[in-house]
Amino acid sequence: MSGGARELAGYLAALAGWMAALAAAVLPQWRQSSYAGDAIITAVGLHEGLWMSCAAQSTGQVQCRLHDSLLSLEVHIQTSRALMIISLLLGFFGIIVSVVGMKCTKVGEEDPVTKSRIAVAGGVLFILSGLCTLAAVSLYATQVTYEFFRESTIPINARYEFGSALFVGWGAASLSMLGGSLLCCSWPAKERRGQQYHRQTKPSTAREYV
């Protein structure tokens, strides 16, 4: 795969990862009601996310309510919120920086070595974005797992399991880190060595006077 094609593939993968992370941050299905041990079909399904909680009726009606207070939220929700916001910001800057540094664009610097370095910087931003998404989703999943298996008087069918947004978040983190890694492969080591060799072997044009 050529350098330009690799950069384009990495950019598209990272862009898809950023959009998936945005969807995961907005979706309210970070955890959902567990149906384990149910002998009958539950009429109401509960979903909770970083920003709201929803109740889905068996008739198809869905009612959502935003979390009232920031300070009253549990620590893992506040931490996941912060990490997702940081992830989206890093990914947004990564999108802009990568466009400037890609070889297939005519934006910014014309020097291929400088453009490659800018593309690598965009790749690093995407990798950091993916790591933040991974940390946020994994932290939330760890808390859901702990609450599900801990000793409690709450019946199993009243507890929560993983929601679909967690799996979207894991996929988003994977795509962002994969795309960022492909962009980081644009590091211009060969081009830099070639330019240094060209400068060393270039004949001198200075005139010698006797």
Side-chain angles (χ1 to χ4, degrees), residues 7 97-122 183 186-188 191:
E7 285 182 353
V97 173
S98 299
V99 168
V100 176
M102 291 174 61
K103 297 177 182 177
C104 59
T105 62
K106 300 297 182 181
V107 182
E109 294 287 340
E110 295 295 333
D111 182 22
V113 176
T114 303
K115 286 182 71 70
S116 297
R117 290 174 178 172
I118 295 174
V120 170
L183 286 171
S186 300
W187 186 253
E191 294 180 9

Side-chain angles (χ1 to χ4, degrees), residues 135-178:
V137 175
S138 300
L139 174 64
Y140 198 99
T142 301
Q143 184 66 25
V144 173
T145 305
Y146 168 75
E147 292 179 356
F148 185 87
F149 288 106
R150 71 176 178 178
E151 296 292 335
S152 176
T153 57
I154 301 176
I156 293 180
N157 57 6
R159 302 179 188 180
Y160 288 94
E161 293 184 351
F162 292 170
S164 58
L166 293 181
F167 299 100
V168 174
W170 278 316
S174 301
L175 285 173
S176 295
M177 290 188 289
L178 174 63

Side-chain angles (χ1 to χ4, degrees), residues 68-83:
D68 295 329
S69 174
L70 172 64
L71 298 179
S72 63
L73 292 175
E74 298 180 42
V75 176
H76 72 281
I77 298 180
Q78 297 185 27
T79 306
S80 296
R81 269 188 180 185
L83 287 171

Side-chain angles (χ1 to χ4, degrees), residues 39-112:
I40 59 175
I41 299 176
T42 306
V44 179
L46 300 179
H47 306 273
E48 290 190 8
L50 299 180
W51 313 99
M52 65 181 69
S53 57
C54 298
Q57 306 287 339
S58 59
T59 58
Q61 292 181 331
V62 179
Q63 295 179 338
C64 295
R65 178 183 177 183
L66 294 173
H67 295 316
D68 295 329
S69 174
L70 172 64
L71 298 179
S72 63
L73 292 175
E74 298 180 42
V75 176
H76 72 281
I77 298 180
Q78 297 185 27
T79 306
S80 296
R81 269 188 180 185
L83 287 171
M84 289 303 296
I85 292 173
I86 294 173
S87 171
L88 293 174
L89 289 175
L90 288 173
F92 177 75
F93 290 119
I95 291 172
I96 298 175
V97 173
S98 299
V99 168
V100 176
M102 291 174 61
K103 297 177 182 177
C104 59
T105 62
K106 300 297 182 181
V107 182
E109 294 287 340
E110 295 295 333
D111 182 22

